[in-house]
Amino acid sequence: MSIDGPGREKLRLVAARLKEAGDEGKGLKRELQKNITKAAEPLARKIADEEHLKPYLPDRYAKVLAKDLGVRVVNRFAGGNPAVQVRAQAREHKRKVARLDAGTINHPIYARGARREWTWSNYQTGGMRAGFFSDPCKQATPPIRAKVLQALTETGRKITAHG
C-alpha cells in the first residue's frame, strides 16, 4: 500500500542530494533507510500478527494466514520516484492478499483430484471483514509520516553540514 503525502517531494529532494553527494552520501543514505524502515516496522509486524487478523477472518484462518503472510517495508530511492511502501504477500501459498483485504476469500468447492483441476469460489464473505491490511495502514500513516519527515529533515541537515 502506497500512501501519498507531503513527504514525497522532500524524499525526492533528499534522495537527489544523497546521489549528488556520491560516496560521502552512502552512509547517510543507509542511515536514512534504516530510520525509515524502523518507523514502519511496527506496522508490518501488526499486519502479520495472528491476534490482529482474528477479527477480520473466519475462525482458524487467521492462524493459517499469519504463518504464511510476509509483510515487509520497502524503501525505494532509485529513479525519479522514491517511495516508502509496506507490502504483504503469501510466502508459500497463492493467497490473494488484496482480495482478503477487500473482505472476500477464495476456496475450492469440493476439492477432488489435482489442485489445478479444482473449481474455486472467489466470493465467500462469511466470517470476513474488509481491511486487515488497509485499516492499520490508514491508522499508522500519520505517526509513520512524522517519523519519516523527521528522518528526512535530519538527513538533509547532515548533508548540508558535510557539503
Side-chain angles (χ1 to χ4, degrees):
M1 168 174 246
S2 288
I3 300 173
D4 214 353
R8 183 170 287 257
E9 187 57 32
K10 191 168 193 172
L11 180 59
R12 191 182 337 268
L13 290 171
V14 170
R17 290 175 71 192
L18 286 169
K19 187 175 181 179
E20 288 172 10
D23 288 342
E24 202 173 301
K26 286 183 182 178
L28 292 175
K29 181 179 176 181
R30 276 192 299 275
E31 182 181 335
L32 175 60
Q33 287 177 311
K34 180 180 169 188
N35 288 334
I36 290 172
T37 299
K38 185 178 174 184
E41 278 178 342
L43 171 62
R45 282 192 302 274
K46 179 178 183 172
I47 290 168
D49 182 66
E50 180 182 342
E51 291 303 312
H52 163 72
L53 294 171
K54 283 182 179 180
Y56 292 93
L57 303 166
D59 292 346
R60 296 183 309 192
Y61 196 71
K63 185 175 187 171
V64 171
L65 181 61
K67 289 180 180 178
D68 190 36
L69 189 63
V71 184
R72 62 189 176 109
V73 179
V74 179
N75 297 325
R76 281 195 338 240
F77 283 85
N81 193 20
V84 179
Q85 299 175 334
V86 176
R87 294 183 182 169
Q89 71 182 61
R91 292 185 196 122
E92 290 184 37
H93 302 284
K94 294 183 180 183
R95 301 179 201 284
K96 295 169 176 65
V97 175
R99 183 168 298 198
L100 292 171
D101 189 54
T104 62
I105 190 171
N106 68 328
H107 63 88
I109 301 171
Y110 304 114
R112 290 183 213 126
R115 184 179 177 97
R116 67 181 176 277
E117 296 171 5
W118 293 354
T119 301
W120 291 82
S121 171
N122 294 317
Y123 302 105
Q124 178 182 333
T125 58
M128 296 293 294
R129 187 177 119 208
F132 88 89
F133 184 83
S134 56
D135 288 352
C137 286
K138 288 174 189 167
Q139 184 181 22
T141 296
I144 290 173
R145 182 175 286 137
K147 290 176 183 175
V148 169
L149 288 171
Q150 181 181 2
L152 288 168
T153 300
E154 181 65 21
T155 301
R157 187 187 61 72
K158 289 178 180 178
I159 291 170
T160 304
H162 286 325

